[in-house]
Amino acid sequence: MTTAPLTVSAGQQADADWWRQAAVYQIYPRSFADSNGDGIGDLGGIISRVPYLQQLGLDAVWLSPFYPSALADGGYDVDDFRDVDPKIGTLAEFDEMVAALHGAGIKLIVDLVPNHSSDRHEWFREALASPKGSNARARYIFRDGMGENGELPPADWTSIFGGPAWTRVPDGQWYLHSFATEQPDFNWKHPEVHEDFKRTLRFWSDRGVDGFRIDVAHGLAKDLDEVLPSRAELKAMPKDGTHPLWDRDEVHEIYAEWRAVFNEYTPARTAVAEAWVETPERRAKYASPEGLGQAFNFDLMEADFDATHFRDIVTDNLAQSAVTGSSTTWVFSNHDGIRHATRYGLPPRNGQAVKHGAEWVLAGGPEDGIDKELGLRRARAATMFELALPGSAYLYQGEELGLHEVAEIPDAQRQDPAFWRTTAEDRGFDGLGRDGCRVPLPWTREGESFGFGTGGAHLPQPAWFADFSVEAEDGVAGSTLEMYREALRLRSQLQSEESLTWDEKLSTGDVLAFERPGGWLSVTNFGDAPVALPEGEVLLASTPLASDDGGAGGVSTGGQQLPGATTVWLRRMGA
Ligand code: GLC
Ligand code: CA
């Protein structure tokens, strides 16, 4: 077994290891920047903003699906895995975007969606046009129905987005979709599915893509007998590698095949798994160097802003990554969750604020029990905590502006199938789905879509976006944007070996402090009351310290205070 080295010095980091401590920025393309005024973000918009990305100081961009799609699930319903959606660009523009990013020193990771296609994919159309029992149907999961005339679904399963997981086709058979009706699940027992995805991996790798984010990586392998278990039976089955639908052991045979493809390239293409599994040990299998190499850990996304939770999560994940030889990942926000500036302004839920699937909830609108100011202050502290950790940090577009979730989208304008496939009753009174974190970014203070484009925005932007726009924060000392820029700049200078030492003396009560090699000390006060600031050269603080004007610079002599909900980075004296 080959184990990647744990000691990598930032300056001389071998190119093949670029991902290990990368700062990766997720672009949700339809909501990033619109270059042609049709209200939909596009590749031209991304190209025009490469200088912005470069100034932010990123190592890589993760691009959410940009493939042809009817957008039944925001692009995760893919019509053609080897093309660009004409609504957002062309293959030639894709190549131009890759060149622009690479020219700016930024790698590109693209989203790959192997669990399902869209119902408009040529294979699914062929399946519908072909008879029961045909090869075309065998690429998906078709079954006869129950009941006298097959009028009942083959099983009573519900989809992750709510509603039934089986849909009937005109000749009476039913197909499985773990997500929306428009997302039929592939049958990964079919060799053509394997061959086609390897072709897709090579197609994008040949175009210069550096890595892949694997959607629903734990779902591909399925094992279904003729007689299907009921929903209740499925729920009672352990997810230990033997569950018929999720996290089956043989899914790793697929990733071993892919690893061989990744290793055809120099440097080897990378991958990161989105795998919602039961235990850290099961997650580690996805991060194996013989498989995808890295896996998301969503633990911080699910935790309250709490010193004890954060410490346990960091300790566990560093231990796991040491076992696999991978590097760990950190995420606070993405296109599926409530933005962390808002989440941390909600009452604590002991991890219940964010749940996968139809259970995502946002408690009310901005007036309803959300302390936006405290939420943002904590989010900034959390981000600086994250950026000081070893491993890769995955940032979501807009978090560098301190954007909040947009709760005030009229129901009629919502797009998320998770919203539409559940009733208000199932969701609870406050379940709003995922549109609130997908509203097009504000670039300027004014203008119809705050500089997103010239033709409006596909989801409505609230008036308060003006104050969170790039224009409002650019060059403003202490703004969230300037804090991210400075933190990323310092991180790339300070980062060296992938190790961390807790400072036990400082880490008491609501305070967590750890040191990275080279005397880089990160101290977070998770509480409300100020605590004594340790001695050292202050590099950056997430909220201004009493005696300076912007959060940077100066030497703490021990008399200063570290305010509540704040992270400070210091360089130990003499280090
Ligand atoms: C993943 C994506 C999510 C999508 C789902 C189905 O969880 O992150 O956005 O809806 O897969 O593809
Ligand atoms: Ca456009």
Side-chain angles (χ1 to χ4, degrees), residues 224-530:
L224 303 176
D225 293 333
E226 269 320 300
V227 180
L228 300 174
S230 69
R231 183 186 176 192
E233 284 165 344
L234 268 185
K235 220 177 152 195
M237 291 175 183
K239 293 209 180 98
D240 59 357
T242 62
H243 192 277
L245 297 177
W246 301 110
D247 191 25
R248 292 186 62 75
D249 286 332
E250 68 266 24
V251 79
H252 299 292
E253 293 166 18
I254 301 171
Y255 301 136
E257 280 176 27
W258 292 10
R259 173 50 56 190
V261 176
F262 299 148
N263 290 350
E264 288 167 11
Y265 294 86
T266 311
R269 298 324 190 219
T270 67
V272 56
E274 184 214 24
W276 295 86
V277 296
E278 294 287 279
T279 62
E281 291 72 27
R282 297 214 57 86
R283 180 155 77 217
K285 292 177 187 278
Y286 293 82
S288 142
E290 284 86 33
L292 296 176
Q294 200 180 43
F296 281 123
N297 114 53
F298 296 113
D299 300 349
L300 285 176
M301 240 177 107
E302 296 191 315
D304 289 327
F305 186 73
D306 176 280
T308 311
H309 289 175
F310 272 48
R311 180 166 176 163
D312 289 348
I313 287 169
V314 170
T315 305
D316 288 354
N317 282 287
L318 290 179
Q320 275 170 48
S321 60
V323 172
T324 58
S326 181
S327 71
T328 193
T329 56
W330 309 110
V331 188
F332 281 111
S333 286
N334 65 23
H335 67 300
D336 288 332
I338 299 170
R339 285 185 177 278
H340 63 298
T342 301
R343 212 165 64 226
Y344 292 143
L346 293 166
R349 303 246 184 137
N350 301 318
Q352 296 305 300
V354 184
K355 278 282 176 209
H356 195 226
E359 292 168 59
W360 283 309
V361 291
L362 173 59
E367 311 78 32
D368 190 10
I370 295 177
D371 184 339
K372 282 181 131 183
E373 214 174 295
L374 177 64
L376 177 55
R377 188 183 169 106
R378 287 175 168 170
R380 291 168 52 131
T383 295
M384 276 190 55
F385 176 91
E386 171 188 37
L387 293 178
L389 291 171
S392 20
Y394 285 83
L395 312 172
Y396 177 52
Q397 67 180 36
E399 68 167 85
E400 78 279 18
L401 303 172
L403 271 194
H404 286 277
E405 192 79 2
V406 180
E408 56 273 53
I409 302 172
D411 283 2
Q413 290 183 54
R414 290 193 175 270
Q415 301 172 7
D416 182 2
F419 178 83
W420 291 106
R421 292 181 62 89
T422 47
T423 62
E425 210 172 52
D426 294 336
R427 283 196 303 271
F429 129 92
D430 47 22
L432 296 174
R434 300 168 295 171
D435 293 308
C437 63
R438 300 176 177 183
V439 175
L441 290 193
W443 293 90
T444 54
R445 282 184 172 279
E446 309 203 356
E448 201 193 317
S449 60
F450 299 103
F452 166 69
T454 54
H458 65 94
L459 279 168
Q461 300 159 301
W464 53 261
F465 258 34
D467 294 336
F468 289 82
S469 62
V470 175
E471 186 187 9
E473 299 190 21
D474 187 26
V476 175
S479 71
T480 304
L481 178 58
E482 292 302 339
M483 184 203 88
Y484 269 73
R485 284 175 176 163
E486 184 59 9
L488 287 164
R489 193 185 66 79
L490 286 167
R491 170 186 160 97
S492 65
Q493 275 177 10
L494 296 168
Q495 215 160 35
S496 56
E497 293 90 46
E498 292 172 37
S499 64
L500 153 169
T501 313
W502 296 104
D503 184 320
E504 298 297 350
K505 217 170 109 216
L506 295 173
S507 299
T508 55
D510 286 329
V511 176
L512 274 191
F514 60 85
E515 195 172 323
R516 299 285 306 275
W520 176 18
L521 180 68
S522 174
V523 188
T524 304
N525 178 2
F526 288 82
D528 302 324

Side-chain angles (χ1 to χ4, degrees), residues 28 62 73 76-77 111 113 115-116 161 179 183 213 215-216 274 276 334-336 356 360 416-417 434 438:
Y28 191 76
W62 148 28
D73 180 25
Y76 286 89
D77 47 320
D111 221 309
V113 190
N115 181 68
H116 43 264
F161 293 154
F179 295 88
Q183 292 167 298
R213 178 262 187 191
D215 190 65
V216 197
E274 184 214 24
W276 295 86
N334 65 23
H335 67 300
D336 288 332
H356 195 226
W360 283 309
D416 182 2
R434 300 168 295 171
R438 300 176 177 183

Side-chain angles (χ1 to χ4, degrees), residues 170-185:
D171 71 9
Q173 275 211 305
W174 298 73
Y175 67 91
L176 175 68
H177 50 90
S178 299
F179 295 88
T181 313
E182 298 85 351
Q183 292 167 298
D185 283 47

